Amino acid sequence: MKLLISFLLLLPFIVNAQTQKPPNVILIFMDDMGYGDMSAYGALQYQTPNLDRLAADGVRFTNFVTAQPVCSASRAALLTGCYPNRIGISGALFPDSKIGLNPKETTISEMMKTAGYVTSMIGKWHLGVQKEFLPVQHGFDSYFGLPYSNDMWPVGYDGKAVRKDQPQYRFPPLPLIRDDKPVEIINNLEKQGNLTARYTEEAVSFIKKNQFNTFFLYLAHSMPHVPIAASSKFKGRSRQGAYGDVMMEIDWSVGEILKTLTELWLEKNTIVIFTSDNGPWLKFGNHAGSSGGFREGKGTSFEGGHRVPCIVRWTDRFPAGVVTNKLSSTLDILPTLAAVCSLKMPTTKIDGVNILPLMEGKDATPRKHFFYYYDKNNLKAVRRDNWKLVLPHQSQLYETQLQGSDGFPGITTGDNPIPLALYDLRRDPSERYDVQKLYPEIVSELKRLAEMAREDLGDDLTKRAGKNNRQPGVAK
C-alpha cells in the first residue's frame, strides 16, 4: 500500500518530466496502401478502429501526396525531404542493384541522432541492399526487417518455388536482416503472414526499452504489398477476404503501439505519423487496396498513384479531430519534424516545406505547388493548389485492363499515350474533365512552373538536364 501511495504521489512528476522532454516520434509507413483503405477514409467490409481513433485524436490529411508512386523513390523522399530524382533514386531497386541512398544525404534519423534521439528502423528498407546502404549506416541504431519488397523472392504467385523459366527465378532468397546481417530466410507465405506481428513485437520492445530516452521509431510495414498474408489470428476475419484480413492486422498493430504508449505514460509526448508510400497496385484486383475513387493507382501520375492517407497525432500539442484539405506531401515530414524537435536542417537543397501550421489546425498554405515525376526523371504533371496540369507522356493504365485475382496479377501496358489536360481537383478529384480551354491562363501559369522544375531538376521527356541534381551512392 505504501508503495502504491508513493507511486501515485510521484505520478504527476513522472508525467510532467515526460512532457518536458522533446517529443518522441513514431513514423509508420505502409506499402501500397491506398487512400480508401481505412474506415476513416471510406473502407468497406472491415473496420480499422485503432486507426480511426488515431484520426479522431489527431489531424487527418485529405490532400496528402507521396513524392513518387513507387517503393524506393517514395522512401528516399520520405527520409530526405527531397524529390527522389534530385538524389538519383528512381523506381524500385532490385536485389542486384549496385546503387543505394547516398551516405552524403541527410536523413531524418541522422538529424534525430544529432539531437540525442535513440533511433530504430523496423520493416521494409528498399534503399540499397549492400551493407554500406543499410539503415544502420544512415542514422539508425538498430534495424530489423526486409531489405526490399516482399515479392522479390524466388516464389510464385501460388506460393510455390518457381521454375527456371519464370521471372522470379532471378531473385535470391528473401532475407530477414537484423542490423546488417541476415538472420533468417523468408521462404513461404506463412512466414510472410507473420511479418506484421513480428514487426509489431519489435516495435513494442523498442518502445519499452527506451521509455526513459527520447526515441525515433521508423516502422515500415511490408504489407499490404503483394504477396499479402495475415497471421493465423486474422485469417478469415474480414468480409473482404485476404486484403481485409491484412488491414485488420495492421490496425491491430497500430493499436498495440498506441496501447504501449498509454501504459508507459508516453502518449502525450509522442508524435505518431501514419501514411503510405503510394497508392494501390490495382492490377492485383482483390489483393490490392482502394484508391478511394481517385483515378488509377501505383505507378501512375494520376491522383490514385500519389494521393495517400496521412494521420498525425500529438496529444500534448496538436488539436484533435482536425481535417486539413491543404496540399501536403511526404516530402514535408522531414522539415516539419526539424521544426518541432529543434533539429538542424540539412545543408543541401531539399524540397519539403514545414507544414506544422496545418498540424496545429491553422488555416495556412505552406506548400504552393508539387511536381509529379516518375520513370526516372520524367516530369508528368504539375500542381498548384487544386489545379493540376497533366503533361503529355506515356503511362501504364489499369482501367482499360482486366484486373487479376487471388494473388495473381492482371495485365497492364506502359505505353498508353496521355495527352495534355488541365484538371480542377476541387470539382473533379477523379481527373475526368479536361478544362484547359476554359482556363488558358492557368495552363500558362502551370507551364511556367513546369519550366521552373525542368531548370532545377531536369526532365527526360524534354531532354533537359537539371542544375541541382545529385548522385546516388554506388556500391564499392
Side-chain angles (χ1 to χ4, degrees), residues 189-258:
L189 288 175
E190 183 180 357
K191 289 184 177 181
Q192 290 254 14
N194 290 327
L195 285 174
T196 297
R198 295 184 69 177
Y199 291 167
T200 305
E201 291 168 2
E202 291 281 333
V204 168
S205 176
F206 171 79
I207 295 168
K208 289 181 176 179
K209 181 180 178 181
N210 292 284
Q211 60 183 294
F212 299 112
N213 298 317
T214 307
F215 61 80
F216 169 55
L217 170 62
Y218 172 39
L219 171 57
H221 279 289
S222 294
M223 299 291 156
H225 189 294
V226 292
I228 59 171
S231 69
S232 58
K233 292 181 180 179
F234 288 89
K235 281 183 180 178
R237 284 188 54 181
S238 86
R239 289 183 294 126
Q240 200 190 104
Y243 195 88
D245 297 345
V246 166
M247 286 306 306
M248 290 180 68
E249 188 159 22
I250 290 295
D251 183 75
W252 163 83
S253 171
V254 172
E256 289 297 293
I257 290 170
L258 298 181

Side-chain angles (χ1 to χ4, degrees), residues 258-390:
L258 298 181
K259 182 174 69 175
T260 302
L261 294 176
T262 300
E263 290 174 348
L264 299 177
W265 301 92
L266 298 174
E267 180 179 2
K268 289 190 67 176
N269 200 38
T270 300
I271 300 172
V272 180
I273 303 171
F274 181 92
T275 187
S276 179
D277 67 340
N278 46 249
W281 206 354
L282 294 176
K283 73 175 182 178
F284 282 92
N286 62 349
H287 277 208
S290 166
S291 64
F294 294 110
R295 185 175 176 182
E296 294 291 341
K298 174 181 177 175
T300 78
S301 294
F302 292 107
E303 289 301 289
H306 280 262
R307 193 84 66 102
V308 291
C310 179
I311 301 168
V312 181
R313 188 193 77 172
W314 185 13
T315 57
D316 195 41
R317 180 166 171 182
F318 298 159
V322 171
V323 176
T324 177
N325 299 319
K326 297 296 178 67
L327 176 62
S328 316
S329 173
T330 48
L331 293 165
D332 304 329
I333 290 177
L334 181 146
T336 304
L337 288 178
V340 170
C341 303
S342 301
L343 307 176
K344 186 178 179 181
M345 285 283 286
T347 56
T348 52
K349 182 179 177 64
I350 71 165
D351 301 289
V353 298
N354 178 6
I355 57 172
L356 178 59
L358 299 181
M359 297 179 183
E360 294 174 330
K362 297 175 182 176
D363 184 15
T365 311
R367 174 164 288 281
K368 307 298 183 184
H369 55 258
F370 181 81
F371 302 122
Y372 295 74
Y373 275 93
Y374 191 55
D375 294 334
K376 294 188 177 179
N377 203 31
N378 293 346
L379 181 60
K380 296 194 171 185
V382 179
R383 174 97 177 265
R384 195 266 290 162
D385 298 329
N386 290 318
W387 293 106
K388 181 176 179 181
L389 183 68
V390 174

Side-chain angles (χ1 to χ4, degrees), residues 157-175:
Y157 297 114
D158 56 2
K160 299 178 181 178
V162 295
R163 303 184 308 271
K164 290 184 178 181
D165 61 341
Q166 291 179 284
Q168 297 100 317
Y169 186 79
R170 67 190 175 106
F171 293 129
L174 183 62

